[in-house]
Amino acid sequence: MAEPDGVDVQMRPASLSALPSAVIFDMDGLLFDSERLSHNAMMAASEELGCGFTTEDFITLVGRPWSANRVLLQERISSPDGVEMFEAAWDRHLLGMRPALALKPGVMDLLAQLDTLGLPRAICTSSSRSDVDFNLKLHSLDGRFQAIVAAGDYLHGKPAPDPFLRAAEVLGLKPEECLALEDSHNGVRSAAAAGMCTVMIPDLLPATDEMRRLCRCIVPDLHDVRRMLG
């Protein structure tokens, strides 16, 4: 799979002008290297069922809720039960790969920095709460986040602002007091629409001119975010 394009180093600030009151993390592709596992599982399911999906097809699904992605898949799978069969195969392959799930670079150092600074943090994701719980337990991160906002906790998914607005609400803060960390285009759109200071850490999707307009900055990994916080 192709790696993201190079990061515009001119967009890496030495620090933020002021510390946020909280940090809101996306999960897949930001905390955990789960997008690559999901891609590999989708390709395995596609080969098994003869669906002919490609990496480009997968990328169109990144950062979107399943309800929206189901519509896209239905356009490619004509049989009445095809999407359900494909989802089941995708989930089965992913389940077998999940024990190999890795943390993204800089996660532990950034969390330690937030502990030192006394800053609360939340996870804001399109994935299910059960997926969040599994990933956190796998890496002994239970209790490291003060709030979790997952699928079903908001009306409209990313790129709508609802998920990030809900995360701020759960933390008892205004959106503009929060720093949002995202890897996907729809995630950046969601956080920016919510009014949060947004930083993109690209994973599968490279930064675009639109992302540069919406973000405070774009950095290669969470080590850079830690340095921004001083």
Side-chain angles (χ1 to χ4, degrees), residues 74-171:
Q74 189 66 71
E75 294 174 357
R76 292 283 302 276
I77 302 174
S78 57
S79 62
D81 300 324
V83 173
E84 285 75 14
M85 292 176 59
F86 183 77
E87 181 185 12
W90 190 351
D91 286 345
R92 174 165 40 81
H93 285 289
L94 184 58
L95 185 62
M97 299 175 184
R98 286 178 78 181
L101 178 67
L103 285 173
K104 296 290 286 184
V107 170
M108 298 307 295
D109 286 347
L110 177 54
L111 291 178
Q113 175 79 339
L114 297 181
D115 288 341
T116 298
L117 295 171
L119 293 181
R121 72 296 311 236
I123 290 175
C124 180
T125 179
S126 300
S127 294
S128 68
R129 179 61 186 258
S130 62
D131 283 345
V132 177
D133 290 343
F134 177 92
N135 293 347
L136 293 178
K137 285 183 172 63
L138 182 66
H139 287 281
S140 301
L141 292 176
D142 311 66
R144 299 298 299 274
F145 296 86
Q146 283 69 43
I148 295 172
V149 174
D153 293 332
Y154 41 79
L155 183 59
H156 301 291
K158 302 173 185 179
D162 301 36
F164 283 97
L165 292 175
R166 178 59 180 160
E169 180 183 17
V170 172
L171 290 174

